[in-house]
Amino acid sequence: MTLFAPATTTRLVVKVGSALLVDPDGGVRRDWLSTLVADIADRAVAGQQVVIVSSGAIALGARRLGLAKGGRASLEDAQAAAATGQIVLAQVWSELLGGHDIPAAQMLVTLGDLEDRRRYLNAAATLGRLAGLGVVPIINENDSVATEEIRFGDNDRLAARVAQAAGAHGVVLLSDVDGLYDANPAHDPAARHIPVIERVDAVAAMADARSASGMGSGGMVSKLAAARIAVGAGIPLAIASGRVDRPLSGERRHSLFVAERTAPARKAWLAGGLTAAGAIHVDAGAAAALAAGSSLLAAGATAITGEFLRGDLVTVEGPAGTVARGLSEYDAGEARRLLGRRSDEQAAILGYAPRAALVHRNHLALL
């Protein structure tokens, strides 16, 4: 199967992992990268806009700084390696794309840039304008300032979130392997390749968290998490091998995660979020009402965890797990006072006219 042909995919996000960009000695694999850039150039001529999510900064910086464990021995080492390696990474991409008369741009983002709605919209506007101008954005997590608590941690999920922001029509995760298998092919010769996945949850147990190269920060687990974000926003995602020249050309075996029905942009952003300020726990009846399209009423809420403010993103936890994400209409303290109470009781409890729901259906996305 062809990977998202230009005729059917106007805008494509391609994630390139560290093991593909950087050799075991910490140098750039320029010959291979030149073939990928040639693919990008061909697609640009055919009218496709390409956005690149590029790993490799930490691995490149660690070599130049002589840091142990590929720059991942400590958070400080990783931050220093990222700051040093990112300038090298951007220069290589710019030089190779420039050889095809394609301008490159660098965007470094943090988790907060795509979790905060206003900053997300700013990033979306920048990506849209760059793509419209024929520029290839080179995106990476800003590891020089990110901490363990406020970071994506892998560029697979970052690519899926960027695809949402960019209004992309497809995502390709170039990897060590050519897709998803029902067992780890490195350890099981009988492992079976799965070409098409209709539901991410149906294959979640097959994922292996190990990174084959030791350079990356994810494995198949992070790729399935990325697939869940992408397809939930109506964007198909493919996992394909980057261990070949011209990885975006011709017929390539890969695993395709089929997109779900396209969600409204705001709800897709809510569903794809990776952080939450707290949680509202609900009973089975409330979970069923949410699935039918209702708002979350206080009568069906059983507990509040975390400390959040009105307008913060929270998860809704049902008896069987997380059922939705949404923006709270109340502070956590107020929400606790309303637990299990009917609407006609709430004015007396709060001392003012209550809002219609703990989370209104217009600000809620089912998972």
Side-chain angles (χ1 to χ4, degrees):
M1 295 185 287
T2 301
L3 281 168
F4 299 119
T8 57
T9 309
T10 304
R11 189 171 293 172
L12 179 67
V13 172
V14 179
K15 179 260 181 176
V16 188
S18 296
L20 300 176
L21 277 162
V22 184
D23 63 32
D25 293 327
V28 178
R29 298 181 64 228
R30 291 182 67 97
D31 290 345
W32 174 83
L33 188 55
S34 296
T35 74
L36 173 59
V37 169
D39 278 348
I40 295 169
D42 286 351
R43 286 169 175 260
V45 170
Q48 188 177 69
Q49 299 168 343
V50 177
V51 176
I52 298 294
V53 174
S54 177
S55 304
I58 292 177
L60 289 172
R63 179 198 188 195
R64 282 153 179 77
L65 298 176
L67 296 174
K69 298 183 179 180
R72 298 181 185 274
S74 68
L75 176 60
E76 291 80 5
D77 278 3
Q79 290 173 326
T84 304
Q86 185 61 44
I87 194 168
V88 178
L89 185 66
Q91 181 179 6
V92 171
W93 277 108
S94 180
E95 177 185 333
L96 293 178
L97 286 165
H100 295 270
D101 295 323
I102 299 174
Q106 176 178 265
M107 285 184 65
L108 299 179
V109 298
T110 63
L111 180 64
D113 292 327
L114 299 181
E115 295 287 278
D116 177 87
R117 182 65 177 170
R118 181 175 296 178
R119 287 153 67 186
Y120 172 91
L121 292 174
N122 287 338
T126 301
L127 285 167
R129 184 57 177 152
L130 288 170
L133 290 170
V135 178
V136 173
I138 309 299
I139 299 171
N140 198 2
E141 182 163 16
N142 194 351
D143 288 310
S144 62
V145 299
T147 67
E148 294 297 337
E149 294 79 16
I150 52 168
R151 65 194 305 264
F152 282 93
D154 63 81
N155 275 358
D156 296 318
R157 293 185 299 168
L158 173 59
R161 218 41 175 141
V162 165
Q164 284 184 295
H169 308 97
V171 181
V172 176
L173 305 179
L174 292 179
S175 177
D176 301 78
V177 295
D178 56 4
L180 180 67
Y181 287 74
D182 61 1
N184 190 327
H187 301 94
D188 185 355
R192 181 176 59 89
H193 181 266
I194 304 174
V196 179
I197 299 97
E198 299 283 350
R199 291 181 54 252
V200 179
D201 289 343
V203 297
M206 300 176 188
D208 189 319
R210 287 170 291 188
S211 171
S213 67
M215 288 186 192
S217 51
M220 199 55 69
V221 169
S222 71
K223 290 171 176 55
L224 292 190
R228 187 173 284 107
I229 294 169
V231 301
I235 306 169
L237 179 144
I239 301 171
S241 175
R243 292 296 187 187
V244 293
D245 289 344
R246 302 294 297 261
L248 301 180
S249 294
E251 299 289 320
R252 298 293 186 193
R253 187 161 83 156
H254 59 276
S255 293
L256 176 68
F257 292 82
V258 178
E260 299 172 7
R261 184 175 59 185
T262 302
R266 182 178 176 82
K267 293 206 171 187
W269 171 76
L270 286 169
L274 300 173
T275 59
I280 301 174
H281 299 258
V282 301
D283 58 29
L290 292 177
S294 296
S295 298
L296 173 56
L297 303 180
T302 60
I304 302 293
T305 55
E307 296 300 327
F308 51 85
L309 301 176
R310 183 188 178 205
D312 281 350
L313 184 64
V314 296
T315 61
V316 180
E317 305 291 336
T322 305
V323 296
R325 299 170 65 88
L327 304 180
S328 176
E329 295 286 341
Y330 288 94
D331 295 351
E334 294 174 318
R336 288 189 179 95
R337 296 169 63 191
L338 299 179
L339 287 175
R341 298 305 187 101
R342 301 189 311 271
S343 298
D344 59 6
E345 301 177 276
Q346 293 173 12
I349 294 171
L350 295 174
Y352 63 83
R355 300 179 185 90
L358 293 183
V359 181
H360 194 278
R361 63 185 181 183
N362 289 347
H363 307 301
L364 182 142
L366 296 174
L367 301 178

